[in-house]
Amino acid sequence: MTSAESAEAHDVLEEQIARIRLFAGLRPESLKLVAEVVVEESHAQGTVIFRHGDVGEKLYVIVQGRVRITREVPGMGEEALAILGPGDVFGEMALLDDAPRSADARVHEPCRLLAIHRDAFEDLLLLHKDLAYEVLWNVVHLLTRRLRETNDKFTMLSLAAKF
């Protein structure tokens, strides 16, 4: 790959990152820094990206395709918690704590992902405090939205149980 092709590929990667909710609103300098630690992955339909209980080492962003987040429910089988598409992030809790994965992630449709390893993410945020503030604030918004969605689901389940 020539340096011009490499620069163009890097620009495309930055544009993809800019469209991701987790990195929304980041300054161009911050997008460049994130692009330096991103690794692209491609997965076929049915591939298990991680399982409940695995050690979490990466955050994933869907560029193309869909990923199903599930949990095995004893006596019932697989329960889909979410089906995520382009721009969605999953596995982010692995970057925030040392707890094992809380669900399974399986490729629902062939997909292209951007992956960020925990060590690279921590180093990046440690070295660039402004970036850390921007990204972690977006993480707070993401987790708050997901908590509200979970509360709504529990409310619906509670109402359904009364009938």
Side-chain angles (χ1 to χ4, degrees):
M1 182 181 289
T2 68
S3 63
E5 291 172 330
S6 178
E8 185 177 324
H10 203 276
D11 289 345
V12 168
L13 182 58
E14 286 177 33
E15 289 172 17
Q16 289 174 331
I17 293 168
R19 288 192 299 267
I20 297 164
R21 289 182 198 111
L22 182 62
F23 303 114
L26 263 59
R27 295 170 294 124
E29 314 84 69
S30 296
L31 292 172
K32 284 185 190 312
L33 293 168
V34 173
E36 291 174 8
V37 299
V38 166
V39 176
E40 189 169 324
E41 298 180 4
S42 294
H43 296 280
Q45 184 172 349
T47 302
V48 175
I49 299 168
F50 56 76
R51 293 192 184 284
H52 174 252
D54 287 353
V55 173
E57 297 177 338
K58 295 179 188 175
L59 159 148
Y60 297 91
V61 180
I62 303 170
V63 175
Q64 182 178 16
R66 295 171 71 188
V67 173
R68 190 171 67 247
I69 306 300
T70 64
R71 257 320 262 275
E72 280 294 317
V73 178
M76 295 181 64
E78 180 185 276
E79 177 65 29
L81 303 174
I83 296 179
L84 306 175
D88 286 329
V89 176
F90 64 99
E92 71 283 346
M93 291 191 302
L95 300 185
L96 304 174
D97 66 20
D98 292 326
R101 297 286 190 185
S102 61
D104 299 340
R106 184 179 310 268
V107 177
H108 193 67
E109 294 175 359
C111 64
R112 252 180 57 232
L113 306 174
L114 300 179
I116 301 175
H117 197 278
R118 178 207 310 245
D119 293 339
F121 187 72
E122 287 177 353
D123 289 347
L124 187 63
L125 298 186
L126 185 64
L127 294 171
H128 304 280
K129 300 297 185 197
D130 288 345
L131 172 64
Y133 178 80
E134 291 177 88
V135 171
L136 293 177
W137 192 244
N138 284 351
V139 169
V140 167
H141 287 287
L142 172 72
L143 295 177
T144 301
R145 181 176 49 85
R146 288 192 179 163
L147 180 58
R148 289 183 191 282
E149 290 170 0
T150 300
N151 287 343
D152 290 345
K153 287 178 185 176
F154 278 128
T155 300
M156 295 304 290
L157 287 173
S158 176
L159 289 173
K162 290 182 181 181
F163 294 103

